[in-house]
Amino acid sequence: MLTFTDHGAPTALPTLLIVHGLFGSARNWGAIQRRLASDRRVVAVDMRNHGESFRAERHGYPEMAGDLAEVIEAIGGPVDLVGHSMGGKAAMQLALTRGDLVHRLVVADISPVAYGHSQVPLVEAMQALDLDGIAARSEADQRLAGAVADPGVRAFLLQSLDLKGDAPHWRLNLEVLGREMGKVTGWPGTEGRYEGPTLMLAGAESDYVRPEHRAETKRLFPNARFAKIPGAGHWLHADKPREFEAALRAFLA
C-alpha cells in the first residue's frame, strides 16, 4: 500500500485525502495538511514511484486510482479527495470508476484531457545531475542550474533529493517516470460520470486549465464548479498556500 502521513483525529467530517503531483510527495503538503487537520483527519500519500512508496513498472492512472482506493478502504471512506496535477488526474480517475469512495472532489490545476507537453527533460536533468560529494541542497542547486533555468522548479525538484544516509539519491523512480511520461501527461479516456460535488480550482497564472476543457469536464463531472486563485501558477498550493487553504475550507464546508 502507498505510504502516507496522518494528521488530526477523526471527527464528524470525512477524512481529507491529499494526492500530490508529479515529482512531489506528501511532505510538500505538510504545512497545509497540519492546518487543515484542525477539525478533521487529514491523510497525504506518497504516490507510487515517489517518496517512500513502493516502486512499480507501471505508472498509469488506472493503477494510481487503484492505489488510492486501497488507501481509502484501509483508512475508511468515503473521503473528501484533493489532487494536484498528476494527483488530480488520479483523483478524477478514482471518482469516475469508484465514486462510492469519494464524498467531495477537489481537482487542483489540471483537466481530464491529454496534454502535449512532456516533463522528460526534467527527468533527464535529474538523472544527469552529478550527486558525488553533494552535502547541501545549495550545491545541488548550483549543479542543476545548467539544465533547469527556473529557480522555482529547481527548488521543487530538489525537495525530492535525499541527502541523508550513505549517498545522496532521488526519492523518485526516474527511470519509470521517464518511460511512462506519456501516460502521466495523457488521459486514459475514462468514461462514466461522477455526480458528487466537484471543485476545479486553478491558478490564474497557469495555462493548464483552459476554457476549451470546460465542456469535457462538465460532461464527466456535471456538478463541477470552477474557480481561480489570483496570482497563483500551476503549483497554486505553494504559490498561495493560505488562499488555497481558504478555498478548500469554503468548498468542503
Side-chain angles (χ1 to χ4, degrees):
M1 191 169 70
L2 298 178
T3 297
F4 60 84
T5 60
D6 200 336
H7 287 278
T11 67
L13 296 173
T15 295
L16 177 62
L17 180 61
I18 299 175
V19 190
H20 66 78
L22 181 64
F23 306 138
S25 69
R27 69 170 59 182
N28 300 150
W29 292 80
I32 290 176
Q33 182 185 7
R34 288 189 293 273
R35 288 196 295 266
L36 290 172
S38 61
D39 59 357
R40 68 168 76 202
R41 183 186 187 191
V42 183
V43 172
V45 296
D46 283 348
M47 296 294 276
R48 61 171 54 205
N49 296 313
H50 291 73
E52 302 302 324
S53 281
F54 60 86
R55 287 2 187 185
E57 290 301 309
R58 294 184 177 182
H59 200 86
Y61 290 111
E63 292 86 6
M64 285 187 269
D67 296 340
L68 296 178
E70 185 179 23
V71 171
I72 295 169
E73 288 168 345
I75 65 176
V79 299
D80 286 340
L81 184 60
V82 178
H84 171 246
S85 197
M86 178 192 77
K89 283 189 172 181
M92 288 188 284
Q93 174 76 16
L94 178 66
L96 291 172
T97 56
R98 289 294 309 276
D100 58 301
L101 298 178
V102 182
H103 180 251
R104 288 176 183 261
L105 175 66
V106 179
V107 179
D109 212 64
I110 203 74
S111 296
V113 300
Y115 287 80
H117 68 276
S118 173
Q119 302 295 354
V120 168
L122 295 181
V123 171
E124 293 174 342
M126 286 185 278
Q127 289 175 316
L129 181 65
D130 180 10
L131 299 176
D132 187 43
I134 289 180
R137 274 187 175 73
S138 57
E139 298 175 50
D141 184 68
Q142 291 175 0
R143 296 187 188 184
L144 192 58
V148 181
D150 189 321
V153 174
R154 291 200 306 273
F156 170 69
L157 297 178
L158 290 171
Q159 290 183 56
S160 290
L161 180 61
D162 192 339
L163 297 176
K164 300 176 182 178
D166 296 333
H169 63 277
W170 292 103
R171 297 169 63 249
L172 300 164
N173 189 349
L174 293 172
E175 180 181 353
V176 168
L177 293 177
R179 189 175 68 241
E180 297 278 88
M181 189 60 67
K183 295 179 182 178
V184 175
T185 57
W187 174 247
T190 307
E191 290 298 325
R193 286 158 63 95
Y194 172 70
E195 299 191 2
T198 302
L199 175 64
M200 308 298 292
L201 184 61
E205 305 302 318
S206 172
D207 63 355
Y208 275 69
V209 178
R210 301 176 181 176
E212 57 265 32
H213 300 162
R214 185 172 292 232
E216 179 65 4
T217 301
K218 290 291 285 185
R219 186 179 74 83
L220 297 172
F221 304 94
N223 290 313
R225 296 163 54 188
F226 298 81
K228 292 185 177 182
I229 296 180
H234 181 58
W235 287 287
L236 63 176
H237 59 291
D239 294 339
K240 298 289 183 179
R242 293 293 188 176
E243 292 84 347
F244 183 85
E245 179 186 337
L248 287 189
R249 287 187 182 276
F251 175 72
L252 296 177

